[in-house]
Amino acid sequence: MHITLNGEAHTLAPDLTIAQLVESLGLTGRRIAVEVNEEIVPRSEHAATPLGEGDRVEVVHAIGGG
Amino acid sequence: MTDFIQDQPLRIAGREFSSRLLVGTGKYRDFDETGEAIAASGANVVTFAVRRTNLGQQAGEPNLLDVVPPERFTLLPNTAGCYTARDAVRTCKLARELLDGHRLVKLEVLGDDSTLYPNVVETLAAAEELINDGFDVMVYTSDDPIVARELERLGCCAIMPLGSLIGSGHGIQNPHNIRLIIEHANVPVLVDAGIGTASDAAMAMELGCDGVLMNSAIANARQPVLMASAMKKAVEAGREAFLAGRMPRRQTADPSSPFAGRING
């Protein structure tokens, strides 16, 4: 399965959930937010939301700014 | 001291803040310096940006929110770097998810790279959409009083005109416009952007602003923590001077010592 993750092409195992993707990135438990195809996926739904072919995924966090 | 005016806390969207200085978290050397400067500033409200997570990061890598925990500060996610209403709205929704339903945001939609001047057309569109979606919108805008009025009419909870260009340190270039905005606004007005040094912050408060938001003036000072302390005092001094009411300007001198009783009289 091919997705775009933070603007870059990634190849993942089929039927991976958002929670599994987050875990594979070592981000479980971190303060992040996830958007798939420009729609927010709430944290409570990560485990039950499978990714699909061609999904555009954004994983963001807080950084310094003014 | 019977007529001493007791100041009220700054009220924004139903929240109360004892400090009228709001600060950013960008441009610091490291998180230690960020934390020390924010502590010295006494700020209650701290703004931050939302960006793509570095996917190669190590477990335990420090996070900005460890330095400014949501339990101790009112966090103000901003849409810095957004050039369209669409991107700004997306960013606010990501921030709301990041902070578990947090509604207070700083909206800024920029016009171009070299001036970072607000694109007020996109700003107005984004403000309307965000307010309809339940956000409390503190809005960065130009120092145009009519645009400020329209943003208030849409329901923005604070109007934040620029003093001068973001990061320029040129202070308040058009104090007359800032005063016009203040005179007509029924929501808090905060100067956001352009503050260079303590006297700029004091000037904003003397004009009657409800608060000042700054980042570069502190972070780019030679000693950021000391400048944060100076800004805290400047905002407090400017506020007290505004409440006290300045003396009228005179065209001629007026001696402070009485003429009567002079030895050469």
Side-chain angles (χ1 to χ4, degrees), chain B residues 178-193:
Chain B
I178 300 294
R179 203 191 300 269
L180 278 174
I181 292 171
I182 293 166
E183 280 173 6
H184 294 100
N186 297 299
V187 294
V189 175
L190 296 87
V191 162
D192 176 7

Side-chain angles (χ1 to χ4, degrees), chain A:
Chain A
M1 177 172 69
H2 303 89
I3 67 163
T4 304
L5 174 58
N6 284 4
E8 292 182 3
H10 281 253
T11 303
L12 307 177
D15 301 325
L16 206 69
T17 65
I18 292 176
Q20 288 166 328
L21 172 66
V22 169
E23 187 182 0
S24 74
L25 296 170
L27 296 172
T28 302
R30 307 297 294 262
R31 269 199 184 270
I32 55 165
V34 178
E35 184 194 65
V36 178
N37 301 329
E38 302 195 10
E39 293 290 334
I40 301 292
V41 182
R43 204 165 300 140
S44 59
E45 296 174 17
H46 286 187
T49 307
L51 291 164
E53 179 67 28
D55 277 351
R56 287 168 291 116
V57 181
E58 296 287 347
V59 180
V60 303
H61 67 158
I63 66 149

Side-chain angles (χ1 to χ4, degrees), chain B residues 55-76:
Chain B
L55 299 177
Q57 70 181 323
Q58 304 296 309
E61 199 170 300
N63 186 301
L64 177 67
L65 298 184
D66 299 334
V67 180
V68 282
E71 304 78 40
R72 281 179 43 213
F73 295 94
T74 293
L75 296 181
L76 182 63

Side-chain angles (χ1 to χ4, degrees), chain B residues 106-123:
Chain B
K106 171 184 157 180
L107 172 65
E108 59 178 284
V109 188
L110 305 174
D112 70 37
D113 284 346
S114 62
T115 66
L116 300 179
Y117 207 79
N119 179 329
V120 296
V121 176
E122 293 291 316
T123 301

